Structure formats: C-alpha cells, structure tokens
Amino acid sequence: DLTSPRSSAGCVRSESRFMGTFGKVKGEVEKSEQKKLRRRLEKAVSSHFLEWPMSCVIFFSIVLVIIDVDNIAAGQDSPVWLSRCNLAVMVIFLAELIFRMYVFGGRYFSDPFRAFDFLVVAVDVGMTVTLSITEASFPLPVVLSRIGRTLRILRALRMMTIFPELAVMLKGMLFAMKPLMWGTVMLGTVLCFWSVFAVLFIHPLVQEMAEAGAWAGTQCSSRCPRAFESVSASMLTFLQQFVVGEGWGDLNTPVMERYPSTGIFFIMALVSTNLAVLNLLLGVIVERAMEAKSVTDREEAARKEKQFGHAARELYDVCRELDVDRSGRLTLEEFRTGYTENAKFADILKAMDIDLPELELVFTMLDTDRSGDVNYEEFVEQLHLIKTHDAHTLLVFIKFYVCEILSRVGGSPTKRPRTSLTLFDSPTKGASP
C-alpha cells in the first residue's frame, strides 16, 4: 500500500539516497571537468601562447619605468598619462598572476620564477595601494611606490625564459650565485691578509717617498701617500690594482724602483689574488654553469617525455578506433591509411616527431613473423620507448639492421632471429643466425 505511512517513509528515504548519490556523481563530474579545464589551461600557459603578449607588456612597463626615473632625475612631475599607464600595467600583472595561481593551484610556488614573479607583483600592488590611501605630501609612500615600479625591471628576467639560450644563461647565473658569494669572501680574506702586511711594512716606505716628493705634481699626489695607511685603505688599493687593473704603474712601480725588495711582496700578492683566487673563482662559476646546463637538459627531457607519454595514450585511443574488428592488431596498410586520411592520427604522430618512414620501420621491427599485422598496444609502447630513450635508440636500430642482415645471410628472408622480438632487451644477449 503506497499510501501507508511506512511506504511513504521508505519512498522518502529512497529519494534521499538517490539525491545523495546523484549529488556525489554530479560533484565528481564537475571536479573531473574542472581538472580537464585546468590541464588544458596549464598546457596553454606552459607554451608560449601567453608568454609573448606578457613579454610585450613587461617591455612596455620597463619603458614606463625609464620615463618615470628620467622625470625624477629632472625634478619634473610625472604626467597623467604615465600614471594611468602604470596603473593599467599593474592591473594586467595582477590579473595574469591570479589566472596563473588558478591554473597551477598549490603548485604555483614550486617554481622559483613564479614565486619571484608573485613577489614583484605583490610589492608593486602593495606600494600602489599604500600610496592611494596615504596623503601624497607624505614622501615615504611615494618613494616606496617608485621602488615597487622599478622592481618591474626584474620581470625582464621572465622574458629570458622564452629563449632557450637566455634561459640557460639565467639559470647558470643563479647556480653561480653561491660560489660567487663564497668566492667574494675568499677574495676579501686574501686581500685582508696582504693588507695587514702592507700597512706594517709598505706604508712607512711610501711615507718616506711622499715626504721626498715622489708623487708631487702627479694625479696620484693625494691618493698614493695614504694608499696603505690602514687595512681598509690597503684593501681598496689592492682591489683597484688586482681586480680592476688600475694604479699599478702610478703607485707600485715607483715603490719597487726605490725599494726593489718590495717587488717580491707585490708579486706574491698579485699572484695569490689575481692568478689564483680570481681564476679559481672563474673556474667554479663555469663548472656551476655547466651543471645548470645539465639540469636544464634533464628538465627539458622530462618535459618532452611527459608530453610524448600523453601523445602516446592518445595514439593508442586512435589505434583502437582504426581497429574496426577489435582484434587488437593492425596491418601496415591500415597504419598508412590512418596516417594519410586520419588527421588526428597524423597530428599525434607529428607531435611525437614521427614520420611515415619511422612508422614503417617500427612496424617491420615488431612484425617478427612477417604476418603483416602487429599488436598496436605493443606498437605504441615500443614507439614511445624509441623516442624517449635517445642514448639507446641508435643501438636499437643497429641491432635491427644486423638481425635483418643475419636473416638474409641465413637464407630465410621471411624469418628473423629471436633477438628482434623485443627492441629494448639487453644488448649483451647475442643471437645466432
């Protein structure tokens, strides 16, 4: 009896369960669609689709900063159009930042370049908001706002990531920061060491020469007599001579001519500083730059492998569509027809950097029994392995051609040795014809 209270309560519970299940399914579908949308947006953002227009905006903002700084130096007020352009650029930067944070989600700050981008935009926006809510007569917010705008120049580093060569140089510079810092500490220590001895032993001799008028009427008449009067002055003198390369002939040469024994001191200081520390620092920086290049190559290889893996999954789905009888196998003619007539199939192969001859070659390598068809699941897998294992690819093709020659020499052109069944087995496993 559907009109009884018990039946009504059961219907209500069933409806509630149904609505709950429907809500969960609907929520999962919405999450799935949102993930797909984010993946598509992330693919677009990771390409240069967004980088080029944003680079133009960054370049325009740098031009605005230059005009603003020139007006400040000339003591002129910024024109109205310049303020409006700065505000428009800030709004574009903020919108782009919010869009990227939505696309990458929690992974946004995993990239140091994105984190740095966030810092620059946040400082710019914060300084502009502070200036807007503070009286213009108060000088500190005005200065901070100009500093925030000036930091936009640092966003030019982002434009360098578009060009591979500049990106490698930028990463090499970042990798060299740590050894550069410690190299500066080492250089300062060595200069301090020689400066102590210069104050104790060289400064009295310089004073005697100054009293005798050794530098009278020269450009060094005011600086040379006090070049070694303190440790800090000596470090400045050595820094100018050994690093910058100025002042050796004005100061050191007259001292060594007057007191030849001082030549040993100056040469030892020059060799330990210029030839040892500076060259050692340069070698470490070059080594770190090469390490950065290797890291960049590995990241690029990982990115390409990820893209290739996604294309391989799409290729497998297309192969299933080409397999009309659902046998799990395709013939070479079907592959050729798919390549010439199926635009999606051809586009996927082109995205994987595979042309028709390579397609036919891999098919021939997998068709070991010469039956004229291959398992397309294994075909896609081996194609993926060939394209993602660059160091092994040449050996794979050499092995195939050797096996082909062995099969022909053995008098059985329709049957190949067992070693060609798997493309990526160990190269140490031999095969007898």
Side-chain angles (χ1 to χ4, degrees):
D1 187 4
L2 297 177
T3 60
S4 63
R6 183 176 299 177
S7 299
S8 299
C11 291
V12 171
R13 285 194 297 269
S14 299
E15 184 179 358
S16 299
R17 287 196 296 269
F18 173 76
M19 293 302 295
T21 304
F22 178 76
K24 290 181 180 179
V25 173
K26 183 179 179 182
E28 291 178 358
V29 171
E30 290 178 352
K31 288 182 180 179
S32 177
E33 292 297 327
Q34 189 176 10
K35 288 182 179 179
K36 290 181 180 179
L37 176 62
R38 284 192 173 185
R39 281 198 296 267
R40 288 195 293 266
L41 291 176
E42 183 177 348
K43 185 178 181 180
V45 170
S46 300
S47 65
H48 295 325
F49 174 76
L50 187 63
E51 293 296 338
W52 280 108
M54 285 307 302
S55 297
C56 295
V57 176
I58 293 173
F59 180 77
F60 179 67
S61 69
I62 293 175
V63 174
L64 296 179
V65 169
I66 294 173
I67 296 174
D68 194 16
V69 172
D70 289 343
N71 288 334
I72 295 173
Q76 301 174 358
D77 295 332
S78 298
V80 178
W81 68 267
L82 184 62
S83 301
R84 291 178 179 177
C85 288
N86 279 320
L87 182 60
V89 168
M90 187 196 69
V91 171
I92 294 175
F93 285 166
L94 184 60
E96 188 243 356
L97 177 65
I98 295 174
F99 174 72
R100 285 181 176 273
M101 293 183 69
Y102 167 76
V103 172
F104 291 100
R107 297 179 291 110
Y108 180 84
F109 294 98
S110 61
D111 187 354
F113 283 104
R114 291 198 293 261
F116 178 76
D117 232 19
F118 174 83
L119 178 63
V120 173
V121 175
V123 170
D124 189 8
V125 174
M127 295 301 100
T128 303
V129 172
T130 303
L131 179 63
S132 63
I133 62 177
T134 310
E135 294 183 1
S137 58
F138 189 60
L140 182 58
V142 178
V143 175
L144 294 178
S145 177
R146 286 170 175 171
I147 292 175
R149 293 174 188 170
T150 306
L151 289 177
R152 293 178 186 175
I153 297 178
L154 298 178
R155 297 201 78 193
L157 299 176
R158 175 175 164 180
M159 293 189 296
M160 297 182 182
T161 59
I162 300 178
F163 306 98
E165 293 79 7
L166 291 178
V168 171
M169 293 173 63
L170 179 60
K171 183 163 288 189
M173 184 181 68
L174 295 178
F175 268 66
M177 284 298 177
K178 187 175 180 180
L180 185 61
M181 179 188 69
W182 289 113
T184 304
V185 172
M186 184 177 181
L187 177 63
T189 303
V190 174
L191 290 178
C192 181
F193 172 81
W194 292 113
S195 296
V196 171
F197 286 95
V199 172
L200 295 176
F201 302 106
I202 304 299
H203 179 61
L205 303 180
V206 172
Q207 288 294 97
E208 292 181 5
M209 294 179 61
E211 293 175 357
W215 292 284
T218 63
Q219 295 181 351
C220 197
S221 59
S222 60
R223 178 70 178 86
C224 290
R226 51 189 181 86
F228 303 106
E229 65 180 5
S230 64
V231 175
S232 59
S234 298
M235 290 182 66
L236 179 60
T237 301
F238 286 143
L239 184 67
Q240 179 184 6
Q241 292 178 346
F242 300 154
V243 180
V244 180
E246 296 179 354
W248 180 276
D250 296 333
L251 176 61
N252 296 29
T253 301
V255 174
M256 288 188 292
E257 290 177 348
R258 181 74 176 270
Y259 305 100
S261 59
T262 59
I264 300 176
F265 171 82
F266 285 124
I267 291 175
M268 290 177 61
L270 174 66
V271 170
S272 61
T273 304
N274 200 327
L275 302 182
V277 176
L278 294 181
N279 285 317
L280 178 63
L281 178 59
L282 179 61
V284 174
I285 291 175
V286 171
E287 182 179 356
R288 293 290 289 176
M290 295 298 295
E291 182 180 347
K293 177 66 168 58
S294 301
V295 172
T296 303
D297 291 341
R298 288 196 296 269
E299 291 176 351
E300 183 67 17
R303 185 185 65 82
K304 287 185 177 180
E305 184 172 356
K306 183 178 179 180
Q307 293 179 350
F308 195 94
H310 180 69
R313 289 191 295 270
E314 293 184 350
L315 178 61
Y316 177 76
D317 295 336
V318 175
C319 288
R320 290 186 60 184
E321 296 177 3
L322 297 177
D323 184 18
V324 181
D325 57 358
R326 294 293 184 269
S327 62
R329 305 180 72 84
L330 290 173
T331 64
L332 179 59
E333 189 61 32
E334 287 176 323
F335 277 116
R336 289 173 177 168
T337 303
Y339 189 88
T340 55
E341 298 181 0
N342 192 316
K344 186 177 180 181
F345 184 70
D347 291 340
I348 293 174
L349 290 177
K350 290 176 182 177
M352 299 168 71
D353 196 20
I354 298 170
D355 53 12
L356 188 58
E358 284 185 331
L359 189 69
E360 296 176 352
L361 178 61
V362 176
F363 181 92
T364 308
M365 295 169 72
L366 289 177
D367 186 18
T368 55
D369 56 357
R370 296 301 177 112
S371 62
D373 58 7
V374 297
N375 185 308
Y376 58 77
E377 183 176 357
E378 183 181 0
F379 175 82
V380 173
E381 178 184 354
Q382 295 298 328
L383 201 61
H384 175 259
L385 290 174
I386 287 177
K387 282 298 181 179
T388 55
H389 292 73
D390 295 334
H392 201 95
T393 302
L394 183 60
L395 293 178
V396 170
F397 284 105
I398 291 176
K399 179 179 179 181
F400 167 72
Y401 286 122
V402 170
C403 292
E404 188 74 15
I405 293 173
L406 289 175
S407 67
R408 295 182 182 277
V409 172
S412 178
T414 61
K415 193 172 182 179
R416 253 176 267 135
R418 189 66 180 171
T419 52
S420 63
L421 287 175
T422 304
L423 299 182
F424 285 87
D425 55 359
S426 174
T428 58
K429 295 179 183 179
S432 58

